[in-house]
Amino acid sequence: MMTRAIALIICIFLFSTARIVAADGPWIGLRTAEFSVAGDVSAEEIRRVAERFDTVRQAVGELKPGHDFASPVPLLILVLRNSAQIARFKSGDEFFAETAMTRFIVYSGNQTAERAALREYARLLIADHLGPAAAPPWLVSGLAEYFSTLEISENGQAVFGAWNSKTTARRYTVASLLETDLYSFNRQTADTEALFREQSYRLVRTLLADKRGFRSPGFTSLIDALERGKPSLEAIEGAFGIKLGDSSFQIPAGSRPISMIARTVAGSSETLTETEARLAFCEIAYALGNEDALAGLTPSILSDPRATTLLGRMRAAERDFPAAEKLFERAIAHDPGDYRPYFALAAALVARESTELGFSSGFQAATAERVRSLLSKAIELAPRFGESYSLLAFVNSVRREDVPATIDKLKIALAIAPGNPWYQMRLAELRIADGDFQNARPSLFRLNRSAGDDRMRVYAENTLVRLVSLEQQMASLKYRRKGEVDGITDEPMSDEEIARRRERALIESLNAALRIPAPNEVRILGTIEGVECKSISVVVAVRTDDGIYTLINESVDNIFLTSYAVISDSRFGCGESTGNGLAVVTFRPAKDATTAGELVAVEFVPRNFEFLPKKN
């Protein structure tokens, strides 16, 4: 980890006033090799928390033997006896928040909240090191639930998997569970997510019946197959030699929990100052979008150079870049050994010449040179802080400068967190800048399919369009041979031919980006005529050239929904229609004649879209 002490963690926004700090005792902090723990509990409790989380890290590491499950961004675990302090940020007993520079897991310390915190930590580790493509939501959720069952005996024996799942009336089918992607998972209701977690846990427990656990050949083969892009059902059945069918899951009697010795953490705890505690609180407030952040900048805190960096990040978020730059430079002058203001200043300079969504068509040469200098210093001071490499890759990909050397540097961040989708995106951008379209394209398709939020999905789609445009620009510089449609001639291509090729390339890209249907699924091309929500199902009418298909599903939450086209005034919900938007609709044919089948996915596409035959 890059933090020299828990006190050195910085944030972007600030929070509240003096009353936010616990009044019934000092805060205690402990820094381990991979995270920091702090709170208003005893030193013994802080150490117990650290050992539990590090034991989970050790267990998650069994998924990929030989790989160091480190964090590319500092992590603070905050455990509070006074749960009212948590309520100032968010209702409930626990939550997860993050900024570009720090991550937080916060909980009130009771057993239920601690279990949820351990679950979130396991999910975070798996996302960083396996990634959404290699670890689909059912696997991440099942594993995270499994690791949250940690029990440590007085003799230091750690056991995972002893929890018995609840009995629920409703169940996911095998197909619907395995095919839920990260984007759909993140849009679930709380009740649906709880059901998804339980069913995923049941499946993971089923696969862990072998006493060797994650070291069994089956589990090793499963991870390998998923990393190679195999669908979940095919990967499971091939790795374990079983047939899941399409029924609900039952945990077999032979399932065994994983046991190991609890990890003992090194280092001593220390009492944090009031300023240090407030600095930790203020970044959590920023990560949660607290609008009262500025109130925390009392005169006493402003005398600390770390607070100067905090204020600078606030100004940068407001796009007041001149003020932010002065504050960062002041923080560097006060503490030249802290990497954070160097990185923060570099990020502000990049943001100044980028859109608010993070796109940039170019950086001034002077800006790029200064950013490189700042990031070089940040990397020197904190070589395991992955965001520095990512930002450097973005600037150099836009400028198309130092690309091969930058790819080598970015691989350091990817070695720390190979599953991080933004690091993978930066590598794809560098490959585009290097003209390596062949290797960039598959990465962008995977990132688009596995995107967990709108920002990544939109960014991946725009980058795919840029890749196609660059390919066509290069093609337009070549000559075609007479008499051959796609050969070389003595004449340059016409504007119409260039436009035709670009359109064709975009359609090819969209065909490749679409969700891959399962063997028992059918895809059609049509428009959504209506969405009707009934008491136990959702009914969707799809108009095609062959007529109208009536499709059903239990809930809108279960439908994979995305768009590769801009459709004016379009919606998809109960009682609403998407107008004239064209969509690729995937469903499982029904065995009876009541409906056409079960609706699986709706992917909106441009009006000129068409299915292309698969290439051999």
Side-chain angles (χ1 to χ4, degrees), residues 397-457:
S397 68
V398 172
R399 292 277 303 175
R400 300 190 188 183
E401 295 173 343
D402 301 326
V403 173
T406 308
I407 289 176
D408 290 339
K409 289 184 178 179
L410 183 63
K411 287 179 178 177
I412 298 175
L414 283 165
I416 298 170
N420 187 296
W422 284 104
Y423 297 173
Q424 295 173 10
M425 174 62 72
R426 298 307 178 214
L427 180 59
E429 289 176 318
L430 286 168
R431 284 172 170 165
I432 292 173
D434 202 32
D436 185 5
F437 302 135
Q438 183 177 358
N439 286 315
R441 191 189 302 273
S443 298
L444 292 172
F445 287 154
R446 285 195 299 270
L447 289 167
N448 180 268
R449 289 195 191 107
S450 62
D453 54 47
D454 289 325
R455 185 187 172 212
M456 171 56 78
R457 180 158 289 181

Side-chain angles (χ1 to χ4, degrees), residues 254-265:
S255 294
R256 294 185 175 94
I258 293 178
S259 299
M260 61 178 61
I261 301 299
R263 182 67 62 91
T264 300
V265 299

Side-chain angles (χ1 to χ4, degrees), residues 246-486:
D246 199 34
S247 60
S248 302
F249 306 118
Q250 298 297 325
I251 300 175
S255 294
R256 294 185 175 94
I258 293 178
S259 299
M260 61 178 61
I261 301 299
R263 182 67 62 91
T264 300
V265 299
S268 58
S269 57
E270 59 185 63
T271 301
L272 275 62
T273 67
E274 184 174 313
T275 296
E276 291 168 343
R278 291 191 192 183
L279 287 173
F281 258 123
C282 75
E283 188 173 0
I284 298 171
Y286 167 71
L288 296 173
N290 192 295
E291 296 178 355
D292 299 325
L294 187 59
L297 281 176
T298 59
S300 61
I301 293 180
L302 280 172
S303 63
D304 192 306
R306 293 164 295 180
T308 306
T309 301
L310 296 176
L311 181 57
R313 297 201 62 131
M314 288 182 64
R315 296 294 180 247
E318 297 166 353
R319 300 189 74 81
D320 185 355
F321 296 114
E325 185 173 345
K326 291 179 181 178
L327 290 164
F328 293 139
E329 289 174 342
R330 188 187 308 166
I332 290 171
H334 287 172
D335 186 2
D338 184 3
Y339 75 92
R340 280 163 280 260
Y342 293 99
F343 173 80
L345 177 52
L349 293 172
V350 169
R352 186 179 62 189
E353 298 183 20
S354 304
T355 69
E356 293 189 18
L357 291 176
F359 295 102
S360 177
S361 58
F363 296 105
Q364 296 180 20
T367 299
E369 192 56 39
R370 191 178 181 199
V371 167
R372 292 186 189 111
S373 177
L374 289 164
L375 292 176
S376 177
K377 186 64 177 177
I379 290 171
E380 176 190 335
L381 294 170
R384 293 186 66 79
F385 180 63
E387 297 300 301
S388 294
Y389 303 98
S390 179
L391 189 60
L392 179 65
F394 177 59
V395 172
N396 286 351
S397 68
V398 172
R399 292 277 303 175
R400 300 190 188 183
E401 295 173 343
D402 301 326
V403 173
T406 308
I407 289 176
D408 290 339
K409 289 184 178 179
L410 183 63
K411 287 179 178 177
I412 298 175
L414 283 165
I416 298 170
N420 187 296
W422 284 104
Y423 297 173
Q424 295 173 10
M425 174 62 72
R426 298 307 178 214
L427 180 59
E429 289 176 318
L430 286 168
R431 284 172 170 165
I432 292 173
D434 202 32
D436 185 5
F437 302 135
Q438 183 177 358
N439 286 315
R441 191 189 302 273
S443 298
L444 292 172
F445 287 154
R446 285 195 299 270
L447 289 167
N448 180 268
R449 289 195 191 107
S450 62
D453 54 47
D454 289 325
R455 185 187 172 212
M456 171 56 78
R457 180 158 289 181
V458 170
Y459 199 99
E461 290 168 4
N462 276 271
T463 307
L464 272 168
V465 171
R466 182 162 60 88
L467 182 151
V468 170
S469 177
L470 285 171
E471 281 184 315
Q472 297 311 308
Q473 288 177 39
M474 293 179 66
S476 69
L477 298 176
K478 297 180 180 179
Y479 290 86
R480 299 164 52 208
R481 189 179 307 134
K482 241 176 210 183
E484 294 185 10
V485 175
D486 292 315

